Coordinates of all heavy atoms in Angstrom, one line a residue:
Chain N
V635 N 23.0 -9.3 -8.8 CA 22.0 -9.9 -7.9 C 22.5 -11.2 -7.2 O 22.2 -11.4 -6.1 CB 20.7 -10.2 -8.7 CG1 19.8 -11.1 -7.9 CG2 20.0 -8.9 -9.1
R636 N 23.4 -11.9 -7.9 CA 23.9 -13.1 -7.3 C 24.9 -12.8 -6.2 O 25.4 -13.7 -5.5 CB 24.6 -13.9 -8.4 CG 23.6 -14.6 -9.3 CD 24.1 -16.0 -9.7 NE 23.1 -16.7 -10.4 CZ 23.2 -17.2 -11.6 NH1 24.4 -17.0 -12.3 NH2 22.2 -17.9 -12.1
M637 N 25.2 -11.6 -6.0 CA 26.1 -11.2 -4.9 C 25.5 -11.4 -3.6 O 26.1 -11.4 -2.6 CB 26.7 -9.8 -5.1 CG 27.8 -9.6 -6.0 SD 28.0 -7.9 -6.8 CE 28.3 -7.1 -5.1
G638 N 24.1 -11.5 -3.6 CA 23.3 -11.6 -2.4 C 23.4 -13.0 -1.8 O 24.0 -14.0 -2.4
R639 N 22.9 -13.2 -0.6 CA 22.9 -14.5 0.1 C 21.9 -15.4 -0.5 O 20.9 -14.9 -1.0 CB 22.7 -14.3 1.6 CG 23.9 -13.5 2.3 CD 24.1 -14.1 3.7 NE 22.9 -13.8 4.6 CZ 23.2 -13.3 5.9 NH1 24.4 -13.1 6.3 NH2 22.1 -13.2 6.7
P640 N 22.0 -16.7 -0.3 CA 21.0 -17.6 -0.9 C 19.8 -17.5 -0.1 O 19.7 -17.1 1.2 CB 21.5 -19.0 -0.6 CG 22.7 -18.8 0.3 CD 23.2 -17.3 0.3
T641 N 18.6 -17.7 -0.6 CA 17.3 -17.9 0.0 C 16.5 -18.7 -1.0 O 16.6 -18.6 -2.2 CB 16.6 -16.6 0.3 OG1 15.3 -16.8 0.9 CG2 16.3 -15.7 -0.9
D642 N 15.7 -19.6 -0.4 CA 15.0 -20.6 -1.3 C 13.5 -20.0 -1.6 O 12.8 -19.8 -0.7 CB 14.8 -21.9 -0.5 CG 14.2 -23.0 -1.5 OD1 14.2 -22.7 -2.7 OD2 13.7 -24.0 -1.0
R643 N 13.4 -19.8 -2.9 CA 12.0 -19.3 -3.3 C 11.5 -20.3 -4.4 O 10.9 -19.8 -5.4 CB 12.1 -17.9 -3.8 CG 12.4 -16.9 -2.7 CD 11.2 -16.6 -1.9 NE 11.6 -15.8 -0.6 CZ 11.5 -14.5 -0.4 NH1 11.0 -13.8 -1.4 NH2 11.8 -14.0 0.7
S644 N 11.8 -21.5 -4.2 CA 11.4 -22.4 -5.3 C 10.2 -23.3 -5.0 O 9.7 -24.1 -5.8 CB 12.6 -23.4 -5.6 OG 12.9 -24.2 -4.5
D645 N 9.7 -23.1 -3.7 CA 8.5 -23.9 -3.3 C 7.2 -23.3 -3.9 O 7.2 -22.3 -4.5 CB 8.4 -23.8 -1.7 CG 8.3 -22.5 -1.2 OD1 8.8 -21.4 -2.0 OD2 7.6 -22.2 -0.3
R646 N 6.2 -24.1 -3.8 CA 4.9 -23.7 -4.2 C 4.7 -23.0 -5.6 O 4.2 -21.9 -5.6 CB 4.2 -22.8 -3.1 CG 4.0 -23.5 -1.8 CD 3.4 -22.6 -0.8 NE 4.5 -22.0 0.1 CZ 4.2 -21.2 1.0 NH1 2.9 -20.7 1.2 NH2 5.1 -20.7 1.8
P647 N 5.2 -23.7 -6.6 CA 5.2 -23.0 -7.9 C 3.9 -22.5 -8.3 O 3.8 -21.4 -8.9 CB 5.8 -24.0 -8.9 CG 5.7 -25.3 -8.2 CD 5.8 -25.0 -6.6
A648 N 2.7 -23.3 -8.0 CA 1.5 -22.9 -8.6 C 1.1 -21.6 -7.9 O 0.5 -20.7 -8.7 CB 0.5 -24.0 -8.1
E649 N 1.3 -21.4 -6.7 CA 1.0 -20.1 -6.0 C 1.7 -19.1 -6.6 O 1.4 -17.9 -6.6 CB 1.2 -20.4 -4.5 CG 0.4 -19.5 -3.6 CD 0.6 -19.8 -2.1 OE1 0.7 -21.0 -1.8 OE2 0.6 -18.9 -1.3
R650 N 3.0 -19.4 -6.9 CA 3.9 -18.3 -7.5 C 3.4 -17.8 -8.8 O 3.4 -16.6 -9.1 CB 5.4 -18.8 -7.5 CG 5.9 -19.2 -6.2 CD 7.4 -19.4 -6.2 NE 7.9 -19.6 -4.8 CZ 8.0 -18.6 -3.9 NH1 7.8 -17.3 -4.3 NH2 8.3 -18.8 -2.7
W651 N 3.1 -18.8 -9.7 CA 2.6 -18.4 -10.9 C 1.3 -17.5 -10.8 O 1.1 -16.5 -11.5 CB 2.1 -19.5 -11.8 CG 3.4 -20.2 -12.4 CD1 4.0 -21.5 -12.1 CD2 4.3 -19.7 -13.4 NE1 5.0 -21.8 -12.8 CE2 5.3 -20.7 -13.7 CE3 4.3 -18.6 -14.2 CZ2 6.4 -20.5 -14.6 CZ3 5.3 -18.3 -15.1 CH2 6.3 -19.3 -15.3
K652 N 0.5 -17.9 -9.8 CA -0.7 -17.2 -9.6 C -0.5 -15.8 -9.1 O -1.1 -14.8 -9.6 CB -1.6 -17.9 -8.5 CG -3.0 -17.4 -8.5 CD -3.8 -18.4 -7.4 CE -4.8 -17.5 -6.8 NZ -5.3 -18.0 -5.5
T653 N 0.5 -15.7 -8.2 CA 0.8 -14.3 -7.7 C 1.3 -13.5 -8.8 O 0.9 -12.3 -9.0 CB 1.9 -14.4 -6.6 OG1 1.5 -15.4 -5.6 CG2 2.2 -13.1 -5.9
M654 N 2.1 -14.1 -9.7 CA 2.6 -13.2 -10.8 C 1.6 -12.8 -11.7 O 1.5 -11.7 -12.2 CB 3.7 -14.1 -11.5 CG 4.4 -13.3 -12.7 SD 5.7 -14.3 -13.4 CE 4.8 -14.9 -14.8
A655 N 0.6 -13.7 -12.0 CA -0.5 -13.5 -12.9 C -1.3 -12.3 -12.3 O -1.7 -11.4 -13.1 CB -1.3 -14.7 -13.2
L656 N -1.6 -12.3 -11.1 CA -2.5 -11.3 -10.4 C -1.8 -10.0 -10.3 O -2.4 -9.0 -10.6 CB -2.9 -11.8 -9.1 CG -4.0 -12.9 -9.0 CD1 -4.2 -13.4 -7.6 CD2 -5.2 -12.5 -9.6

Side-chain angles (χ1 to χ4, degrees):
Chain N
V635 167
R636 286 216 172 122
M637 282 161 57
R639 292 217 293 226
T641 179
D642 184 20
R643 295 283 166 97
S644 61
D645 58 331
R646 296 181 260 176
E649 207 175 320
R650 298 194 173 281
W651 284 110
K652 196 177 142 203
T653 310
M654 186 176 96
L656 287 175

